């Protein structure tokens, strides 16, 4: 298991995040597309996981509604997969959301991304729905986790 260092990064690090995103997902996106998506969003959170100072993964999220934080995109570079970095990123983001008084954490993943679906279930998320993603022509599975259970 890798011991990644998870850093919260700012807007100036968006080019690195976009570069990492484009190594994991298709179609490729631009810095401008992410900047547009952030417009009007509250509490944008960007995290980068590093292993021995090399970027290994990323997490992007923002407030979906006042009590719900949304994990928008998260990914691990191919050479760092199956090392626990996805779990570390998700747990760090959940911790940040709980500290910022969000009650629920929501993530979505494509039906074809089985490792992410397994990770969400392993981390205690419940399936709460499915929605069609017209851009990719695939279903997204919606997961939620209570951040207040057991408090």
């Amino acid at each position: 298991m890798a011991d990644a260092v998870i850093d919260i990064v700012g807007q100036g690090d968006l080019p690195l995040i976009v570069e990492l995103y484009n190594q994991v997902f298709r179609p490729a996106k631009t810095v401008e597309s992410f900047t547009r998506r952030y417009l009007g969003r509250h509490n944008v959170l960007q995290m980068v996981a590093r292993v021995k100072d090399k970027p290994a993964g990323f997490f992007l999220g923002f407030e979906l509604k006042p009590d719900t934080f949304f994990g928008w995109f998260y990914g691990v570079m191919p050479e760092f997969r199956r090392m626990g970095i996805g779990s570390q990123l998700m747990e760090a983001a959940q911790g940040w959301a709980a500290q910022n008084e969000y009650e629920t954490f929501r993530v979505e993943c494509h039906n074809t991304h089985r490792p992410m679906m397994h990770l969400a279930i392993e981390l205690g998320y419940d399936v709460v729905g499915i929605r069609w993603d017209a851009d990719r022509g695939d279903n997204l599975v919606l997961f939620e986790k209570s951040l207040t259970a057991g408090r």
Side-chain angles (χ1 to χ4, degrees):
M1 177 173 237
D3 190 20
V5 174
I6 311 290
D7 292 316
I8 295 174
V9 298
Q11 189 70 17
D13 291 295
L14 194 51
L16 170 61
I17 297 237
V18 171
E19 178 185 327
L20 296 173
Y21 172 92
N22 288 336
Q23 291 179 46
V24 174
F25 297 104
R26 292 287 175 259
K29 291 190 180 275
T30 63
V31 170
E32 293 75 23
S33 68
F34 282 86
T35 302
R36 274 193 312 277
R37 181 71 164 131
Y38 288 162
L39 288 176
R41 298 290 176 185
H42 295 286
N43 287 334
V44 171
L45 175 64
Q46 299 182 141
M47 297 177 147
V48 172
R50 289 185 168 78
V51 174
K52 297 181 182 174
D53 291 327
K54 184 173 182 189
F58 68 95
F59 173 89
L60 303 171
F62 48 78
E63 182 177 293
L64 186 62
K65 40 190 188 179
D67 66 347
T68 304
F69 195 80
F70 177 56
W72 179 37
F73 277 112
Y74 33 89
V76 176
M77 302 308 97
E79 66 269 27
F80 291 103
R81 291 184 183 152
R82 314 266 329 142
M83 301 171 86
I85 294 169
S87 296
Q88 288 178 286
L89 278 163
M90 292 301 291
E91 289 169 356
Q94 290 169 188
W96 181 92
Q99 287 175 353
N100 285 275
E101 301 182 2
Y102 289 98
E103 297 173 13
T104 304
F105 200 99
R106 177 181 281 189
V107 295
E108 301 176 344
C109 81
H110 285 277
N111 194 40
T112 56
H113 293 160
R114 299 285 199 247
M116 184 55 217
M117 293 173 67
H118 288 267
L119 176 60
I121 292 166
E122 184 179 299
L123 291 176
Y125 285 79
D126 295 318
V127 174
V128 296
I130 296 175
R131 77 173 178 85
W132 179 253
D133 182 355
D135 291 337
R136 296 198 182 191
D138 192 13
N139 282 320
L140 285 167
V141 180
L142 312 177
F143 292 92
E144 283 189 358
K145 179 178 184 175
S146 171
L147 299 177
T148 59
R151 270 198 214 172

